[in-house]
Amino acid sequence: MSKGAKKRRSRRSSSPPTTSSPTGSGGAPLGGPFGLGLGLLAIAVVLCLILTVNHLGGLALPGCGEGGGCAEAANSKYGKLPGLGWPLSFVGLAYFAGLLAAWIRGRTDQPPVFRHLVRLGAVGSLILITILFVEGYTCLYCLGSHLANLGFWGLLERLPLRAPRGRRGSPSLPTVIGVGLAVSGVLGVLEMTMASKVRERLDAEVDASVDEILADGGTTATGTNAAAGGFTGRHRVGPEQAVVRMVLFTDYQCSDCRAVEEVAERVQAENPNTVSLSIKHFPMDQKCNPHVGRSLHPNACWAARAAEAAGILAGDEGFFLFHSWLFEQNGSFTDASLPGDLRTLGFEPDEFIRTMSSQETLRRVQADIEEGVDLGLHFTPMIFLNGIQLRGVFEANADSLATSVARVISARPPAADASDDRPPPAADKAVQDWRQQSRRVLPAAREGRRIGSAAAPVEIVVWGDYQERSAVPVANAAIRAWMQGRDDVSYSYRHFPFDQDCNSSVPRSAHPRGCDAARLAEAAALLAGEDGFWKVHEWLFANQDDVANGRFAGAAAVLGVAPSLLEAAMKDARLPDLIAEDITSARPDGGSTSFLYRGSLPTIHVNGKVVPRWRLRGQPVLDRILDAAVEDSR
């Protein structure tokens, strides 16, 4: 060997050892593709876990509360596994947990079946992302989990396909299935526990309603239906003189309605001589219903009009034949499928479609809608027995309708017709709905944010946003007008700006500058105490355009201070914490119980009870609830 070769060999042997990335027992480095895949799957698991815990009632995180995009997505027809009713958040958590376990076990050496499974999941994510955008659901947790899933799929496609080494990579599919089933089992137990609690609450509401029906019988109310010949639908099955007269406001694409309808038809068939059933329409579809914010059920109006067409052409028998068929089809049909279905049901297609498309069917459906609004309807199904609303019956406890009817029959009330049934109008029902709630202990108001004594027998608490244009100012004005000259009431206002600048719990900034308005009110309190807060409180509602354009000089004039002094106070470091305290108080202890009613503003509480409807058809009925609170406090 030459001297040069010896020197080269010596240099190679004396070189320091190469530093390698830390690895797990599978041999893949914790960095690189394995680490990236681990991070993406962990993100998907965490986001699905958030949605799952929110569903089970353990969290109220940004966007997950009532009215948020996550809640809208979860409550939609796309939020559950078709046919099984299993929440997609549960499916996602079980799936991603299984993938994560298999990835950790086999690392980057995965068999082809694993890649095929991930491809299938990616297709599902693409479909669900499309639904989120088309339907307008602002669910960042949903979107984040799907993007993480797509990122993992993209990563996997870039890795070379090779057979797994040794025993660690081989059991990928069994690992995914095993972990997925284990997670699903735990979720199933938790879901059953939650469902049991929900059922207990609903059953208590049902029992209270039946007690009211038995005590009143529906004959003493002073509703508006008596002049129109009583409270009933256009089509009825069962006797005119009935011991139990069921009236259902329904929507053919509503799953709760379908479950309740199945029980109602069965109950009537089992008691043909004592129970009657009639139907009224309330489609959650803007095509015919101007009282819903969005079209939750896009074919519901045409389904209702089709049922009325069947009634026009074939009377009660035709109506209920088509009514049952519509629920079997989930209220869905197309221009292409309808003619064949009509022939099967015994209708001539051209005549039926012409009748369905007429103004008469639209008039009938909209008459039902307006009647429902007059009765305070804000969800379906809305069930009446003998003119009294049966509350608390939904898909989860639909069979309680049968037990309720049995209780009424067992009390042996005399048979009567619809003229004896007069449900109270919506204003009366709004007071009734408020009264029937249990009183809750609200977080205490901060000093200087209350008008009136803390010991006043009537306590009004409002969460609001100074930049909300149509409702919060009207509610504030109604409260202040009712309070004039009274010393038995207190009123406290709490900030809940629908503005992500200071409120991360809202899904979007619906009211930009809402946080600036809240800071302005708090700055006024720093400069001029309680009196300054309430002066600027009123100025903010009267000058929303000024705030929207960043003009605060008018507020300074109200306080009698220089604009520069007020602007400096708005930068005080204490203000964000004060506003955050009000926002947090709407969701105490970070739990799922929210004091915000359906995420809407304003949310008004009177004596610890939320006011579900404080105005009807644009007219405040809050004064009637406040009068009732005074009466109850005596």
Side-chain angles (χ1 to χ4, degrees), residues 167-198:
R167 297 175 59 192
R168 298 196 60 82
S170 58
S172 290
L173 187 58
T175 299
V176 173
I177 294 174
V179 172
L181 289 176
V183 171
S184 297
V186 172
L187 294 176
V189 172
L190 295 174
E191 177 80 345
M192 289 174 61
T193 302
M194 186 191 76
S196 177
K197 292 181 179 179
V198 170

Side-chain angles (χ1 to χ4, degrees), residues 286-310:
Q286 289 184 320
K287 294 185 189 71
C288 63
N289 189 347
H291 301 287
V292 295
R294 58 180 298 176
S295 292
L296 297 177
H297 303 142
N299 200 54
C301 283
W302 281 115
R305 294 177 68 175
E308 286 301 319

